[in-house]
């Protein structure tokens, strides 16, 4: 069963009694160790599957783990509890729901459902949605719950106006959920911990039931998850955790790296085994990974060693600007595809979703198929479609669909009832919605505030339309954003809104580039040209998820994946690491761990890249090479300035790899060779089109994807047909029309529905 394991893996598998910490480096075979260990407990030590609890972070990982164990044993480990923290918590909560004022038939509220409750409580408490958005309030409460901070303690700790407002809602939220016999997603972690803490009988019963507890990805546990495991395993101490402190990258959502760093504090007799042999990456890639992560202070310390011979040197592309960088990345993918393997073996990673835009456009220009994982296509994002609707209305005042979208971006108090009234009047008079809005004063039954909103909208469209004859599209967008307060509305959405604001900036950048890059078309205003181009972009045929295509995603999304060829873009201070982390030592170390994760996704070839200038809001701003790649780390890569970077005398920088000419020669650091042959790709483009993945779900769940019309089976309701899908990630919901007329249509949370597909 343990044949083929290296000595460290063997030691982790054969450890039987007492706590165990397996520090598993990237690509070191941790899943094999975990599954082999469980199989050995059952087969060699006689542990019954029913007394084993195995916890991981995604349903996919849990399913794969169960399958592997079954293959090792030759039969399914019946009775073993294996699943996600939330899934295990929900299962335990069903058994003891009465302890927290629920019944076993309680409802699990997803984020949308919980947000609706928060909104109602805010209204009841007279907390203005304009001052504090419900999303921001819910985010505060969620963070408190996952840190096991109850409403009273949170109220004492609150120091900001937002925290004070959230405390009031938090105090009322539990009662509202209890009255509805419902729990939030966060409650699936916190309520089981509360039950275990408060009931000695249940705590002893659960500990006696689960004599062996195993946890994967331990570095990603938050306070509630840590306490859940500690309480169950604290008595017998048979706890085996597997993780890598160097890959702890979820501090921003509550994960606490101290859980793995301080494991021996809670379990003094723990044995620590380090898995340092890497089966994925070549020596040059691991040399860079080790050099980068060694700069962190808050780590246990380990050095990855490759099991592979040879390997291409790691390259750092120095580009003139972000377009030049995107072309260099495309050139690298093209080179790989011609010489080494299919498109699907290439991955492009970046720090923020907004960076995908430049890469998407470069790939389309080169006719290279690609798929975007973990996000929707740039031009399909909500905030982008909102602003494009404004531009469409400016270009064509008769576009009623654009009017309907623009009037709600941002919301201005014009509801569906008013819109239908306006539309009916417009049809009667043969007018567009915009034209009818000019006559709003003559329409009866419209509130003064609504009249004012429509009049203001008409004025904005007219003003921007007057500019459109000559002005660039970036200027028009900035005018719309300022006049409507679009940016302020996004900021009010909290962290998610700030990310959307980054996408808005990229749209302005794209607009500024359009005429420059394509040269315009005869007879078209810049606005008309931009809209035509944008329509063609969003109208591209989509290939299936199994198509041969380059993969694009953020580094966070890439965790746990691997590719033969990886390009990591945007290696500049302020972008990687982000500006907001530079003055925060803990956050900066997490950013460095994130780079370590990016590097170790690569198996055979790794290319990093940075740009001297990057467009933000249509303006070229200077950039400097990431501090993560300076100093001694520079010995681990070969520099490749693009032709444009090499030939531009204006590009100078005092940092390693940050300049040309005297600045570079004075240091003599790094190895250098040119890349590319200018702006025109030196290859024959292969015809292809964009591929799109549906948005990946949150890191805590990995859910199956369904499509409308698909046949499924539910354990309780029987067979049915999917009618609708909504939400994403852990909040994804599905509406099913079940064959049994007595059941009819049901709306289910996919994470907990247990749907099986393909039933007639």
């Amino acid at each position: 069963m343990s044949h083929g394991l290296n000595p460290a893996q063997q030691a982790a598998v054969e450890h039987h009694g007492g706590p165990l910490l397996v520090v598993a480096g990237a690509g070191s075979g941790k899943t094999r160790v975990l599954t082999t260990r469980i199989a050995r407990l059952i087969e060699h030590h006689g542990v019954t599957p029913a007394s084993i609890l195995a916890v991981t972070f995604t349903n996919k990982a849990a399913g794969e783990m169960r399958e592997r164990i079954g293959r090792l044993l030759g039969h399914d480990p019946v009775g073993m509890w294996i699943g996600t923290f939330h899934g295990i918590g929900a299962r335990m909560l069903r058994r003891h729901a009465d302890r927290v004022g629920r019944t076993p038939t309680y409802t699990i509220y997803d984020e949308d459902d919980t947000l609706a409750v928060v909104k109602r409580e805010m209204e009841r408490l007279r907390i203005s949605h304009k001052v504090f958005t419900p999303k921001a309030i819910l985010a505060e409460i969620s963070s408190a719950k996952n840190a096991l901070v109850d409403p009273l303690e949170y109220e004492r700790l609150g120091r900001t106006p937002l925290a004070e407002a959230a405390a009031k809602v938090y105090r009322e939220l539990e009662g509202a959920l209890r009255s509805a016999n419902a729990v939030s997603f966060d409650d699936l972690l916190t309520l089981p911990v509360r039950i275990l803490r408060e009931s000695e009988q249940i705590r002893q019963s659960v500990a006696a039931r689960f004599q062996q507890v195993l946890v994967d990805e331990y570095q990603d546990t938050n306070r509630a998850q840590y306490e859940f495991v500690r309480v169950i395993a604290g008595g017998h101490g048979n706890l085996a955790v597997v993780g890598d402190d160097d890959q702890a990258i979820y501090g921003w959502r509550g994960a606490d790296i101290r859980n793995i760093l301080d494991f021996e504090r809670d379990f003094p007799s723990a044995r620590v085994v380090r898995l340092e042999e890497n089966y994925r990456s070549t020596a040059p890639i691991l040399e860079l990974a080790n050099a980068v992560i060694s700069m962190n202070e808050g780590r246990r310390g380990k050095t990855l060693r490759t099991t592979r011979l040879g390997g291409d040197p790691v390259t750092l592309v120095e580009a003139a600007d972000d377009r030049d960088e995107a072309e260099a990345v495309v050139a690298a993918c093209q080179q790989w595809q011609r010489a080494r393997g299919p498109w699907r073996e290439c991955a492009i990673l970046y720090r923020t979703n907004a960076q995908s835009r430049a890469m998407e456009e470069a790939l389309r220009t080169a006719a290279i198929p690609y798929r975007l994982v973990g996000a929707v296509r740039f031009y399909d994002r909500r905030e982008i479609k909102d602003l494009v609707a404004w531009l469409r209305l400016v270009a064509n005042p008769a576009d009623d669909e654009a009017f309907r979208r623009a009037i709600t971006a941002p919301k201005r108090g014009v509801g569906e009832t008013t819109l239908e009234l306006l539309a009916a009047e417009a049809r009667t008079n043969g007018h567009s919605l915009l034209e009818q809005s000019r006559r709003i004063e003559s329409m009866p039954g419209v509130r003064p505030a609504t009249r004012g909103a429509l009049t203001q909208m008409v004025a904005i469209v007219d003003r921007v339309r007057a500019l459109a004859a000559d002005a660039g599209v970036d200027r028009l967008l900035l005018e719309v954003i300022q006049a409507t307060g679009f940016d302020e509305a996004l900021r009010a959405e909290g962290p998610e809104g700030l990310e959307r604001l980054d996408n808005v900036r990229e749209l302005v950048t794209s607009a500024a580039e359009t005429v420059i890059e394509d040269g315009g078309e005869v007879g078209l205003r810049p606005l008309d040209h931009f809209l035509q181009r944008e329509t063609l972009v969003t109208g591209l045929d989509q290939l299936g998820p199994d198509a041969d295509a380059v993969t694009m995603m953020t580094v966070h999304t890439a965790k746990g994946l691997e590719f033969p060829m990886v390009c990591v873009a945007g290696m500049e201070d302020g972008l990687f690491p982000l500006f907001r982390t530079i003055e925060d030592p803990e956050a900066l170390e997490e950013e460095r761990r994130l780079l370590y994760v990016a590097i170790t996704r690569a198996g055979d070839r790794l290319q990093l890249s940075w740009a001297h200038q990057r467009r933000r809001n249509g303006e070229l701003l200077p950039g400097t090479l990431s501090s993560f790649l300076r100093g001694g780390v520079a010995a681990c890569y070969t520099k490749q300035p693009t032709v444009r970077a090499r030939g531009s005398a204006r590009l100078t920088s005092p940092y390693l790899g940050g300049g040309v000419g005297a600045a570079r020669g004075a240091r003599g650091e790094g190895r250098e060779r040119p890349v590319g042959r200018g702006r025109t790709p030196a290859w024959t483009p292969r015809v292809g089109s964009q591929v799109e993945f549906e948005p990946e779900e949150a890191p805590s769940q990995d859910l199956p994807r369904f499509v409308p019309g698909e046949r499924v089976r539910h354990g309780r309701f029987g067979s049915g047909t999917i009618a609708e899908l909504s939400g994403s990630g852990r909040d994804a919901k599905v509406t099913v029309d079940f064959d049994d007329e007595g059941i009819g249509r049901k709306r289910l949370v996919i994470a907990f529905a247990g749907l099986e597909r393909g039933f007639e």
Side-chain angles (χ1 to χ4, degrees):
M1 181 179 296
S2 56
H3 177 71
L5 298 177
N6 64 44
Q9 292 174 329
Q10 190 83 27
V13 167
E14 293 181 354
H15 176 84
H16 177 49
L20 170 69
L21 168 61
V22 180
V23 182
S28 62
K30 72 177 179 65
T31 304
R32 184 184 182 192
V33 167
L34 200 58
T35 53
T36 306
R37 175 175 169 75
I38 292 173
R40 181 179 172 83
L41 285 172
I42 296 171
E43 194 168 73
H44 184 77
H45 295 287
V47 177
T48 62
S51 63
I52 297 175
L53 172 65
V55 191
T56 186
F57 274 80
T58 67
N59 286 326
K60 180 180 178 182
E64 290 176 350
M65 194 181 298
R66 180 179 288 276
E67 288 178 8
R68 286 199 191 192
I69 295 168
R71 287 197 298 269
L72 288 170
L73 294 173
H75 59 84
D76 189 51
V78 178
M80 184 175 74
W81 278 32
I82 179 169
T84 65
F85 275 102
H86 292 90
I88 297 293
R91 194 169 176 180
M92 186 175 293
L93 193 55
R94 296 273 180 205
R95 297 190 171 193
H96 307 289
D98 60 311
R99 296 280 180 165
V100 288
R102 272 76 164 180
T103 72
T105 59
Y106 67 79
T107 301
I108 299 170
Y109 278 3
D110 64 10
E111 185 176 352
D112 290 341
D113 299 324
T114 309
L115 195 61
V117 179
V118 168
K119 286 178 180 177
R120 285 196 297 273
E121 291 303 318
M122 288 178 68
E123 290 166 1
R124 193 173 64 80
L125 295 167
R126 298 185 178 179
I127 299 173
S128 172
H129 292 188
K130 294 181 179 179
V131 178
F132 305 110
T133 66
K135 278 192 174 182
I137 294 288
L138 181 55
E140 288 285 312
I141 296 172
S142 179
S143 295
K145 283 189 174 186
N146 283 296
L148 296 180
V149 177
D150 63 32
L152 290 178
E153 184 181 0
Y154 182 78
E155 192 169 13
R156 290 195 301 270
L157 295 173
R159 294 291 182 270
T160 66
L162 174 61
E164 291 172 359
K168 296 176 182 177
V169 178
Y170 189 11
R171 191 172 57 233
E172 303 298 324
L173 184 60
E174 168 61 14
L177 290 171
R178 191 168 55 247
S179 297
N181 193 29
V183 297
S184 70
F185 207 77
D186 295 321
D187 290 334
L188 297 178
L189 296 177
T190 59
L191 292 181
V193 171
R194 177 177 150 192
I195 291 169
L196 291 170
R197 280 177 167 179
E198 293 178 355
S199 173
E200 177 71 19
Q201 179 184 358
I202 294 175
R203 183 166 64 251
Q204 290 182 359
S205 172
V206 171
R209 162 74 188 272
F210 298 117
Q211 285 295 302
Q212 294 287 339
V213 181
L214 303 96
V215 184
D216 193 13
E217 303 288 1
Y218 191 66
Q219 78 281 350
D220 293 334
T221 53
N222 59 30
R223 177 68 186 179
Q225 292 160 339
Y226 157 83
E227 188 68 8
F228 180 74
V229 171
R230 190 194 66 78
V231 171
I232 293 175
H236 51 66
N238 294 327
L239 171 66
V241 302
V242 181
D244 183 3
D245 53 301
D246 289 334
Q247 295 188 72
I249 60 174
Y250 294 117
W252 53 275
R253 62 177 175 91
D256 192 343
I257 192 174
R258 291 174 297 183
N259 292 347
I260 190 169
L261 293 180
D262 300 337
F263 186 76
E264 296 97 322
R265 178 198 62 193
D266 299 305
F267 299 92
S269 62
R271 180 179 183 183
V272 179
V273 176
R274 286 177 169 80
L275 305 183
E276 298 179 307
E277 286 192 56
N278 177 282
Y279 295 89
R280 175 189 304 158
S281 306
T282 60
I285 293 170
L286 295 186
E287 180 187 7
L288 175 62
N290 288 327
V292 166
I293 202 62
S294 67
M295 303 304 292
N296 270 7
E297 296 180 2
R299 62 189 295 260
R300 287 183 161 272
K302 66 178 180 304
T303 301
L304 292 180
R305 301 182 301 273
T306 187
T307 58
R308 304 174 57 189
L309 298 176
D312 297 335
V314 176
T315 57
L316 172 67
V317 169
E318 175 187 341
D321 56 32
D322 45 346
R323 285 191 293 168
D324 192 32
E325 177 192 41
E327 288 167 2
V329 169
V330 165
C333 293
Q334 187 77 9
Q335 183 183 27
W336 177 271
Q337 189 270 342
R338 287 200 310 267
R340 303 284 287 272
W343 295 119
R344 69 171 64 90
E345 293 184 352
C346 300
I348 301 172
L349 309 183
Y350 34 79
R351 179 64 183 84
T352 66
N353 272 314
Q355 292 171 255
S356 74
R357 198 271 313 168
M359 295 296 169
E360 287 184 69
E361 294 187 357
L363 288 163
R364 283 196 303 269
T365 299
I368 295 176
Y370 71 93
R371 57 177 175 255
L372 199 62
V373 181
V376 296
R377 294 180 300 173
F378 182 80
Y379 286 98
D380 285 342
R381 294 169 189 169
R382 184 198 83 195
E383 60 279 9
I384 303 304
K385 293 178 77 71
D386 286 346
L387 285 172
V388 168
W390 275 97
L391 294 181
R392 284 172 49 197
L393 189 59
V394 168
N396 175 17
D399 189 338
D400 284 351
E401 289 305 311
F403 180 96
R404 287 178 178 275
R405 182 157 195 138
I407 194 65
T408 64
K411 289 182 170 58
R412 55 191 66 242
V414 180
E416 282 298 319
T417 301
T418 301
L419 276 177
E420 292 310 313
L421 182 65
L422 190 69
E425 194 72 14
R427 284 193 296 270
T428 300
N429 298 324
H431 294 151
S432 67
L433 291 178
L434 184 69
E435 187 61 30
Q436 189 61 47
S437 297
R438 297 182 189 280
R439 296 163 169 76
I440 195 66
E441 293 296 334
S442 63
M443 284 181 56
V446 180
R447 295 183 296 112
T450 303
R451 293 177 192 272
L454 291 170
T455 300
Q456 183 188 39
M457 182 177 186
V458 170
I460 293 171
V461 172
D462 288 346
R463 183 162 69 252
V464 178
R465 186 169 173 77
L467 292 172
D470 303 305
V473 185
D474 54 330
R475 165 80 188 283
L476 305 184
L477 280 167
L478 291 172
E479 186 72 25
V480 169
I481 291 166
Q482 182 178 5
T484 61
F486 195 88
D487 53 340
E488 293 303 321
L490 288 179
R491 286 192 182 93
E493 293 182 10
E496 182 183 333
L498 293 178
E499 185 171 337
R500 292 186 184 279
L501 199 55
D502 280 340
N503 293 331
V504 169
R505 295 188 182 101
E506 274 300 308
L507 180 65
V508 175
T509 295
S510 175
E513 291 177 356
T514 300
V515 178
I516 297 171
E517 187 154 314
D518 295 335
E521 292 187 13
V522 177
L524 288 179
R525 296 174 298 176
L527 174 58
D528 298 318
H529 179 63
F530 176 82
L531 289 173
Q532 174 179 293
R533 180 172 174 269
E534 183 270 339
T535 301
L536 292 174
V537 165
T538 57
L540 286 172
D541 293 336
Q542 298 179 26
L543 304 179
D546 296 326
D548 185 22
V550 174
T551 300
M552 296 175 58
M553 68 187 93
T554 64
V555 182
H556 278 103
T557 305
K559 187 172 182 291
L561 303 178
E562 58 183 86
F563 299 88
M565 163 67 177
V566 171
C567 297
V568 185
M571 292 307 307
E572 297 134 47
D573 276 341
L575 191 54
F576 208 159
L578 294 174
F579 273 125
R580 64 174 178 264
T581 67
I582 291 176
E583 300 300 324
D584 182 342
E586 289 188 8
L588 191 63
E589 292 215 340
E590 181 159 317
E591 288 286 295
R592 191 178 281 111
R593 293 193 294 269
L594 191 60
L595 176 57
Y596 175 82
V597 167
I599 293 169
T600 53
R601 298 312 93 199
D604 300 315
R605 182 177 294 178
L606 172 65
Q607 175 178 290
L608 310 170
S609 59
W610 73 286
H612 282 278
Q613 300 179 98
R614 194 169 293 275
R615 288 171 178 80
R616 300 285 285 178
N617 278 340
E619 180 184 0
L620 274 175
L621 300 177
T624 57
L625 177 66
S626 171
S627 58
F628 293 162
L629 298 179
R630 299 183 212 149
V633 176
C636 301
Y637 57 75
T638 297
K639 292 194 299 177
Q640 286 189 349
T642 65
V643 172
R644 285 187 59 207
R646 177 185 286 275
S648 177
R650 294 179 293 116
L651 300 180
T652 58
S653 171
Y655 301 113
L656 168 63
V660 294
R664 180 184 293 124
R667 289 182 303 274
E669 295 178 292
R671 305 176 292 274
E672 179 183 312
R673 55 194 175 96
V675 62
R677 294 184 175 275
R679 296 190 59 77
T680 304
W683 62 80
T684 301
R686 175 175 167 180
V687 176
S689 59
Q690 175 179 352
V691 183
E692 178 196 4
F693 270 170
E694 293 180 10
E696 290 288 307
E697 41 78 43
S700 58
Q701 292 289 329
D702 189 358
L703 309 179
R705 297 189 180 90
F706 298 103
V707 295
E710 186 173 3
R711 293 285 291 170
V712 293
R713 181 177 180 82
H714 186 274
R716 179 179 170 192
F717 303 132
S719 298
T721 302
I722 292 179
E724 298 173 0
L725 296 165
S726 62
S728 63
R730 68 183 190 185
D731 302 323
K733 288 172 283 192
V734 61
T735 300
V736 181
D737 289 327
F738 287 99
D739 299 343
D740 187 334
E741 293 183 1
I743 295 172
R745 172 169 287 197
K746 295 284 185 182
R747 194 178 187 212
L748 309 169
V749 177
I750 295 177
F752 304 102
L755 293 175
E756 299 177 56
R757 51 169 40 105
F759 285 83
E760 295 301 326

